[in-house]
Amino acid sequence: MSRLTRTIARLVQRPTIQCTHRIPVATLMYTNRSSWRTYTSLTLPETKEAKSIMSVLAELKDKKTAEEYNELLKQLASEGRSEQAQKVYDEIFRHHEVAADITTYSQLMLSYINDGKYEEAMEIYYELRDHEDSANHAVKSLRLDADIYESMIRSLTNGKNMDLNKTRFDPNVEPMYEYSVEDVDTAIYTNIDGDSQPSLLTALTLFNDMRHLEIQPTSEMYIDMLKCCEEQRDEFVLEKLHKLIRMDLYLDPDLRVFNHLMKAYKVVGDGSSVLEIWDMAEASNNFDKESVSIVINTCLENGFITRLRSIWKNLESKDQLKSEKTLEELLEERGYDINK
């Protein structure tokens, strides 16, 4: 699916434009955020058809600011009611009965993500992303920030979305692209093997974009992505994510991130990478009981017995090994002949 042909920057300069895209079609207007009001969750229609949301909108007919409508969009997004979320946008925000803000668009994107319609979500995303550097102050107020990326990545890597939306990409149409970890924006890759889930590839696209936009990912974002790679046994995305971790000069040495990185490599059967990460952790004395458990089990599963003995001896000598069993007992349990 192609990106939008009209940009937000252009739309700001035009008082009236006829367009069928999901992003605004008339002059963008903004208001200062008013004080938050108490919001009571509305009862959503049983059907997810777009027109059925009109009865709910009728209950909000006297609302004049974005906050109340954004809360409704949040409800719809949480249930993946993208058609109804789009209807709310069209009825309330498109012609500026109420001024949209960045929360409006983030919830609209989330509604598509949670409905498995990743191309539609990314269409909106690209429209916002490509105009962060605009000189127009109104457009600058639509700045994407780390919180928005985090919410999108968390939804994309959610196990429920993974299970529900495994086959959203039609194998007969152009595949989803994801940016490479190269410094050139025009360089793109596809998952040639076709094994990666669409939602995980989309999350990787967003994650990589953050680096280009100089938005610092949080440890939680890395962990969400790594957990998903582990659950999906996705070596393709895992390797690209690992490259991003290596290039992240501002990432604190978060032990949780490196433990999840080792677990993911262990699950995909790449024991050598687990040992590589362990070597760095051991050299910097940045490991814990879980780290030790991961590397020991990796050695046992891959037959790295000589290396296991070395690691075990090293940890024992520094009184950093907490095990109720001896190495020989562990080897016997795993079927290794310790007499050889």
Side-chain angles (χ1 to χ4, degrees):
M1 180 176 292
S2 61
R3 301 182 188 180
L4 297 181
T5 56
R6 292 191 175 95
T7 67
I8 289 181
R10 293 181 188 136
L11 296 177
V12 169
Q13 302 169 0
R14 300 183 183 181
T16 305
I17 296 177
Q18 297 299 319
C19 180
T20 59
H21 294 313
R22 297 181 175 85
I23 292 295
V25 295
T27 305
L28 291 177
M29 300 171 58
Y30 300 87
T31 60
N32 293 328
R33 291 175 67 86
S34 59
S35 300
W36 284 98
R37 298 171 175 80
T38 301
Y39 178 82
T40 303
S41 295
L42 297 167
T43 301
L44 299 180
E46 291 185 7
T47 175
K48 291 187 176 183
E49 292 180 357
K51 63 182 180 181
S52 65
I53 201 64
M54 294 303 295
S55 61
V56 179
L57 284 179
E59 299 179 41
L60 298 174
K61 62 181 179 180
D62 296 327
K63 307 300 181 184
K64 300 300 180 183
T65 61
E67 284 84 353
E68 292 88 357
Y69 293 104
N70 286 345
E71 287 296 329
L72 173 57
L73 285 173
K74 184 177 180 180
Q75 273 189 265
L76 296 172
S78 68
E79 296 187 19
R81 293 174 175 246
S82 62
E83 292 184 11
Q84 292 177 346
Q86 186 64 55
K87 185 68 173 177
V88 170
Y89 177 82
D90 292 342
E91 294 292 327
I92 303 301
F93 296 103
R94 182 176 290 280
H95 300 292
H96 307 304
E97 178 181 335
V98 175
D101 57 24
I102 192 62
T103 302
T104 307
Y105 297 111
S106 66
Q107 294 303 324
L108 188 56
M109 288 187 288
L110 284 172
S111 72
Y112 280 111
I113 286 172
N114 291 332
D115 199 14
K117 298 177 180 178
Y118 308 124
E119 294 96 332
E120 287 85 343
M122 294 301 284
E123 184 179 339
I124 298 170
Y125 164 74
Y126 284 127
E127 189 66 62
L128 296 172
R129 186 205 70 171
D130 291 345
H131 300 90
E132 285 204 325
D133 296 329
S134 171
N136 188 293
H137 292 295
V139 174
K140 281 184 178 294
S141 69
L142 287 179
R143 183 168 297 278
L144 294 161
D145 59 22
D147 289 338
I148 292 174
Y149 280 99
E150 185 167 14
S151 65
M152 293 175 70
I153 289 171
R154 180 169 293 121
S155 288
L156 286 163
T157 55
N158 180 279
K160 179 181 177 182
N161 279 339
M162 284 288 173
D163 291 337
L164 291 177
N165 304 314
K166 286 183 177 180
T167 58
R168 289 289 183 176
F169 288 169
D170 187 334
N172 297 316
V173 300
E174 183 180 7
M176 168 67 82
Y177 291 111
E178 50 91 1
Y179 282 104
S180 76
V181 294
E182 304 295 332
D183 289 331
V184 182
D185 279 337
T186 54
I188 57 176
Y189 286 94
T190 58
N191 184 347
I192 298 173
D193 295 332
D195 296 329
S196 295
Q197 296 297 347
S199 56
L200 187 51
L201 284 175
T202 306
L204 180 63
T205 302
L206 292 171
F207 205 92
N208 191 59
D209 262 9
M210 292 182 69
R211 185 176 71 86
H212 289 282
L213 295 172
E214 298 183 349
I215 298 174
Q216 179 60 36
T218 65
S219 294
E220 295 303 324
M221 292 185 200
Y222 281 111
I223 290 170
D224 284 340
M225 290 286 292
L226 290 168
K227 282 182 177 178
C228 196
C229 289
E230 179 186 352
E231 292 166 1
Q232 296 297 317
R233 299 176 179 270
D234 194 318
E235 189 172 7
F236 177 84
V237 174
L238 176 59
E239 289 177 353
K240 296 195 179 307
L241 186 60
H242 192 186
K243 289 180 182 178
L244 291 174
I245 291 174
R246 288 193 186 104
M247 290 188 292
D248 192 340
L249 301 178
Y250 301 100
L251 177 65
D252 290 330
D254 190 319
L255 185 55
R256 297 175 304 153
V257 171
F258 293 113
N259 281 348
H260 279 290
L261 185 59
M262 285 199 294
K263 285 197 289 186
Y265 272 120
K266 175 178 175 292
V267 165
V268 301
D270 188 348
S272 296
S273 291
V274 176
L275 292 178
E276 177 188 332
I277 298 164
W278 166 257
D279 286 341
M280 292 188 294
E282 187 179 27
S284 59
N285 201 34
N286 184 30
F287 60 88
D288 60 8
K289 183 178 179 180
E290 184 179 16
S291 315
V292 173
S293 176
I294 296 168
V295 73
I296 287 176
N297 280 296
T298 298
C299 289
L300 289 168
E301 291 174 9
N302 290 273
F304 301 153
I305 306 307
T306 301
R307 186 63 193 280
L308 174 56
R309 291 187 184 280
S310 174
I311 292 171
W312 192 281
K313 182 179 179 180
N314 213 19
L315 292 174
E316 269 191 331
S317 67
K318 297 177 182 178
D319 196 27
Q320 293 177 315
L321 185 64
K322 308 297 181 184
S323 176
E324 296 178 355
K325 298 178 181 179
T326 66
L327 177 55
E328 284 66 28
E329 288 173 333
L330 284 177
L331 290 171
E332 279 191 307
E333 285 181 0
R334 295 297 184 96
Y336 289 99
D337 187 353
I338 62 175
N339 296 317
K340 284 187 176 180

